[in-house]
Amino acid sequence: MQTLHAKMAQQQAGRSVRTKGMVRLDAQLTAPNVVGSSTAAASVAPRSGPAPRLATAVLPSRPQTNVVCRTATVDAPPASGASGGSSVREDIRNIAIIAHVDHGKTTLVDAMLKQSKVFRDNQNTAERIMDSNDLERERGITILAKNTAVRYRGIKVNIIDTPGHADFGGEVERVINMCDGVLLLVDSVEGPMPQTRFVLRKALELNKRVVVVVNKIDRPAARPEWVIDSTFELFMDLGASDELCEFPVVYASGVNGIAGMQADGLAADLEPLFETIVKEIRPPTVAPEAPLQMLCANIDYDEHKGRIAIGRVTGGTIRRGQTVSICSSLEPGKVRPAKIAELFVYDNFSRVPVDEVTAGDICALSGIADIKIGETITQREAPVPLPTIQVEDPTVSMTFKVNTSPFAGKEGKFVTSRNLKDRLDRELERNLALRVDPGETSDSFIVSGRGTLHLGILIENMRREGYEFEIGPPKVITREVEGKTCEPYEEAIVDVPENYVGAVVELFAQRKGEMVDLIPSIQGASRVKFRIATRGLLGLKNALLTATRGLGVMNTLFLEYAPVAGEILMRENGSLVAHETGQVTSYALESAQERGQMFVRPGDQVYEGQCVGVHAKAGDLKVNVCKTKQLTNMRAASKEIKVGLDEPRTMGLDDALEYINDDEQVEVTPKSVRIRKDPSAVNKGRKGK
């Protein structure tokens, strides 16, 4: 709860202060339609006042704003000389669902689709319908933003499902410009989390109307009043306006498909949620007679239709077969012609072909083979681009290079530097948070992203597509600020049982982390908040799981660039390195496993320089895991009895990226993930000596 001094300061500033589910307004603030928390949200009234005007309804000579989304949401009077008048499309609502990871976004969308009668009663549907990507289903997270639409009482509701993990924040930044409001999902127990702050900040910067949905309200430990208070404090911390701070609240259980305006009074379906969306999210104000403008916010691909551009028609009307112009605010004066082959809108979980789409709706189109995210599709006679999409800069980089191991070319389909470059160039077309720069050699590339998970998903996708290459260790991206070298810092929040708090604090202290808050939670768990350099987080996940016996959960959020924290010990143990190339034998492993934990098992093929295990001590140790027992006439090889061996440590791609040191790299193929010593690092060390 906020202090008394803070509340007095807010009253003097004319802000509203909400405490324990009540709303207190300053005398100077007048708001006829105020939707409070659990008590004030029982009746949801339509928003009063004039609808916002579209900045895109003005003539091309009118200067554009710097932020792309504000061209569609800024409140402005009708521009004099604008071609055509503006109107309100009461038949459409455009919303994005944003939240922290695992707060139930995709599950709620599933329930909304099912209750909108999108599917037949006898139709089998999988869980998390929107997570169509194989990796999304395997990991249980949303990686790519996706569009769909449902209908409620004749009103079309365009829904954008967004990722919740911080590493995929670029997806949220990219698509949030297409919506007029957002549903902010908050877990009824956890409350606002790091990614909640990030996505809410993006929505508030663009003046989006926010509907707070307290999800998973059926959890036994649910504490809705605390969640609402914490969410309101987050709004205040982010500098939200008085109007945006008066957010409506809906309580829901996405998995059960129920919602209500009171935590203890849920309806039998999601009717209260749909009603709140229609009343609280303002319909788009459009200028159908203005020149055509549509910003490409997403790209999909179809084997038959080719590249498909997705975006919201900001002004005018787009038609199938229409000849248009493609331009970008990053390349003023450069215009190229194109023709719309097919046109689609989203309706009832499918793309429906249409002849034309009017301003205010979200559509998909094909026929423009070279369209890129951030480019504007405009009227041929009036090629005026919208401001391009801006996302935050990456913080972590890795080196991608051609595989040079002794097993190179044996398991992959695409193995050359040209293959690697072409694939990375294609990824740049839709992944705006990614950066690719030339490496130290002609066959290497420095790939930068939001985090190791962001880059790890790219690596895993390439691996499954048949690519074979090597990955260098993750490195943070530094900046020069006022003559000082600075590195990225993040806020890390760890939820852990009380008896492991000491181990967590000690672990973070070893990596130069500073504990800034300790919040006693519920059911014997505590929440510890740290400020730590991103460099200190590399490889911390497995160490945290070990220290907390698998019970610790960590979430992070980028904070700032600050002076370098100094030397951080990333890994205490060395590696067990294969002495020769050959096949692993159980006879050799019997003695090798006494030196540490192995990565390999009998029958695996290894090569000299490959890391085959973790050394029990500091420093690397060469071991011979291919040694065979000498044969004599007393015992034949077929009669050899296998000894008991320890179960090897499974080393997946994410584990390997966390494990490697500066002198190691990961060999990635469609069939294998191996860790090896970097030959270039070894040679540099020898030259240094």
Side-chain angles (χ1 to χ4, degrees):
M1 297 298 296
Q2 299 176 356
T3 63
L4 178 61
H5 295 288
K7 292 180 181 179
M8 294 175 62
Q10 290 167 4
Q11 292 176 4
Q12 293 173 358
R15 289 189 177 277
S16 63
V17 179
R18 183 197 311 264
T19 58
K20 294 185 179 180
M22 300 181 64
V23 178
R24 201 168 78 201
L25 300 177
D26 189 276
Q28 299 176 355
L29 182 63
T30 58
N33 294 321
V34 176
V35 181
S37 63
S38 59
T39 56
S43 60
V44 182
R47 299 183 55 78
S48 61
R53 300 293 184 182
L54 279 175
T56 51
V58 301
L59 289 175
S61 59
R62 179 78 176 265
Q64 301 286 341
T65 57
N66 292 329
V67 182
V68 61
C69 299
R70 288 178 181 169
T71 61
T73 60
V74 62
D75 294 326
S80 59
S83 57
S86 61
S87 59
V88 178
R89 293 202 60 175
E90 293 287 353
D91 61 328
I92 287 180
R93 300 293 188 276
N94 298 313
I95 64 170
I97 301 183
I98 59 176
H100 184 78
V101 63
D102 199 32
H103 277 197
K105 299 179 301 300
T106 306
T107 304
L108 182 64
V109 174
D110 284 359
M112 296 174 71
L113 289 170
K114 292 175 181 177
Q115 294 191 19
S116 300
K117 301 300 181 182
V118 172
F119 309 107
R120 302 187 311 271
D121 293 336
N122 62 345
Q123 183 174 351
N124 292 327
T125 56
E127 293 184 1
R128 303 195 314 275
I129 305 169
M130 296 293 289
D131 287 346
S132 55
N133 184 285
D134 290 340
L135 279 177
E136 291 179 324
R137 290 195 172 277
E138 292 174 13
R139 295 173 179 252
I141 60 174
T142 302
I143 298 174
L144 302 174
K146 303 174 189 67
N147 294 73
T148 189
V150 299
R151 291 192 175 271
Y152 173 74
R153 295 183 179 178
I155 297 176
K156 179 182 177 182
V157 181
N158 285 311
I159 302 173
I160 306 173
D161 185 23
T162 64
H165 199 285
D167 282 26
F168 308 114
E171 291 285 311
V172 181
E173 297 173 275
R174 179 165 55 80
V175 301
I176 201 171
N177 71 310
M178 291 193 288
C179 66
D180 297 303
V182 298
L183 298 186
L184 177 67
L185 266 65
V186 186
D187 190 282
S188 63
V189 177
E190 296 180 355
M193 296 291 283
Q195 184 67 0
T196 310
R197 172 180 287 270
F198 174 81
V199 295
L200 179 59
R201 174 163 57 88
K202 294 300 176 182
L204 295 179
E205 286 176 356
L206 301 174
N207 199 34
K208 302 294 183 183
R209 177 65 169 168
V210 181
V211 174
V212 175
V213 179
V214 181
N215 198 25
K216 304 184 182 181
I217 195 64
D218 56 328
R219 294 182 64 177
R223 41 180 181 173
E225 290 189 2
W226 176 85
V227 170
I228 293 300
D229 290 340
S230 300
T231 304
F232 179 74
E233 291 177 8
L234 179 59
F235 271 75
M236 301 294 289
D237 291 343
L238 295 176
S241 65
D242 294 331
E243 181 184 9
L244 293 178
C245 281
E246 297 308 316
F247 50 82
V249 179
V250 180
Y251 302 90
S253 172
V255 69
N256 295 316
I258 56 178
M261 308 312 297
Q262 300 287 344
D264 55 355
L266 302 183
D269 51 23
L270 293 176
E271 179 85 9
L273 177 61
F274 283 114
E275 190 70 23
T276 303
I277 291 173
V278 170
K279 289 184 177 181
E280 289 295 333
I281 303 299
R282 48 194 171 196
T285 302
V286 299
E289 302 301 325
L292 169 65
Q293 283 184 313
M294 170 183 162
L295 185 71
C296 178
N298 200 358
I299 286 179
D300 200 356
Y301 185 82
D302 185 271
E303 293 182 359
H304 305 289
K305 300 179 178 62
R307 183 173 296 189
I308 297 176
I310 302 172
R312 170 174 164 169
V313 181
T314 309
T317 302
I318 189 168
R319 297 176 176 85
R320 180 168 60 89
Q322 180 179 357
T323 301
V324 296
S325 294
I326 309 298
C327 51
S328 172
S329 60
L330 299 179
E331 299 176 332
K334 187 176 180 180
V335 181
R336 65 183 189 276
K339 186 175 181 179
I340 308 300
E342 295 184 79
L343 194 61
F344 308 88
V345 295
Y346 292 91
D347 200 356
N348 291 339
F349 199 62
S350 61
R351 287 183 185 145
V352 180
V354 293
D355 292 329
E356 66 177 32
V357 178
T358 309
D361 205 353
I362 296 174
C363 70
L365 57 89
S366 64
I368 309 177
D370 57 348
I371 187 70
K372 298 178 182 178
I373 293 178
E375 292 185 325
T376 306
I377 301 171
T378 66
Q379 198 89 7
R380 188 176 182 182
E381 300 79 13
V384 180
L386 293 166
T388 191
I389 301 172
Q390 300 292 337
V391 299
E392 294 186 359
D393 294 330
T395 57
V396 176
S397 67
M398 298 181 188
T399 300
F400 288 42
K401 56 185 177 181
V402 173
N403 189 9
T404 58
S405 80
F407 294 168
K410 293 184 177 181
E411 300 177 354
K413 181 179 179 182
F414 306 105
V415 298
T416 66
S417 60
R418 181 181 293 273
N419 296 145
L420 197 58
K421 183 179 186 303
D422 291 345
R423 178 61 178 84
L424 292 175
D425 288 343
R426 291 201 307 272
E427 187 68 21
L428 285 175
E429 293 177 356
R430 70 163 315 280
N431 198 335
L432 293 190
L434 199 72
R435 302 286 186 273
V436 178
D437 299 300
E440 296 180 355
T441 60
S442 59
D443 61 352
S444 64
F445 308 91
I446 299 175
V447 183
S448 306
R450 290 286 184 87
T452 54
L453 180 60
H454 181 204
L455 298 178
I457 292 296
L458 169 62
I459 296 168
E460 181 64 30
N461 281 326
M462 293 175 63
R463 173 178 174 243
R464 297 187 180 195
E465 293 168 9
Y467 286 84
E468 180 179 309
F469 53 103
E470 292 177 344
I471 306 296
K475 298 185 178 183
V476 298
I477 300 173
T478 59
R479 290 180 180 177
E480 291 291 329
V481 180
E482 297 181 355
K484 296 181 179 179
T485 301
C486 297
E487 63 179 338
Y489 280 73
E490 299 191 32
E491 176 187 75
I493 295 180
V494 181
D495 291 307
V496 62
E498 293 178 352
N499 52 326
Y500 292 114
V501 170
V504 171
V505 173
E506 182 180 357
L507 180 62
F508 273 81
Q510 293 173 357
R511 292 174 175 252
K512 304 295 180 65
E514 303 174 4
M515 187 176 73
V516 297
D517 198 5
L518 174 60
I519 306 172
S521 188
I522 57 176
Q523 295 182 338
S526 298
R527 177 170 294 178
V528 195
K529 187 181 297 185
F530 297 92
R531 178 181 180 272
I532 185 172
T534 303
R535 184 162 45 99
L537 291 173
L538 301 178
L540 183 61
K541 178 182 176 181
N542 286 331
L544 178 66
L545 292 176
T546 301
T548 62
R549 304 298 188 268
L551 300 176
V553 178
M554 179 175 66
N555 294 282
T556 61
L557 176 67
F558 172 77
L559 277 181
E560 60 182 348
Y561 271 84
V564 176
E567 184 178 355
I568 297 177
L569 179 63
M570 305 300 294
R571 196 180 78 200
E572 296 180 355
N573 301 83
S575 297
L576 297 177
V577 184
H579 180 265
E580 61 181 23
T581 302
Q583 187 178 37
V584 178
T585 65
S586 58
Y587 176 74
L589 285 181
E590 182 182 1
S591 57
Q593 68 182 8
E594 297 177 359
R595 305 290 185 176
Q597 188 177 17
M598 308 305 297
F599 298 154
V600 295
R601 62 181 69 243
D604 290 349
Q605 295 290 335
V606 298
Y607 52 81
E608 181 183 358
Q610 179 180 336
C611 298
V612 295
V614 184
H615 191 198
K617 300 179 181 179
D620 297 334
L621 177 68
K622 284 194 173 185
V623 294
N624 189 352
V625 293
C626 303
K627 182 172 58 175
T628 59
K629 188 169 184 176
Q630 295 297 324
L631 301 180
T632 68
N633 58 356
M634 299 298 296
R635 177 179 295 175
S638 60
K639 298 292 185 180
E640 182 177 341
I641 301 175
K642 293 184 178 181
V643 299
L645 299 175
D646 297 336
E647 186 66 23
R649 175 177 172 181
T650 302
M651 189 58 68
L653 177 60
D654 293 339
D655 299 320
L657 293 176
E658 281 208 351
Y659 175 81
I660 56 177
N661 266 337
D662 290 340
D663 62 341
E664 296 167 344
Q665 55 191 20
V666 180
E667 177 189 0
V668 179
T669 75
K671 297 181 179 180
S672 308
V673 174
R674 305 184 185 94
I675 300 175
R676 64 177 301 210
K677 286 295 175 181
D678 187 355
S680 61
V682 174
N683 293 334
K684 288 179 182 178
R686 289 175 180 172
K687 291 179 181 179
K689 292 180 180 179

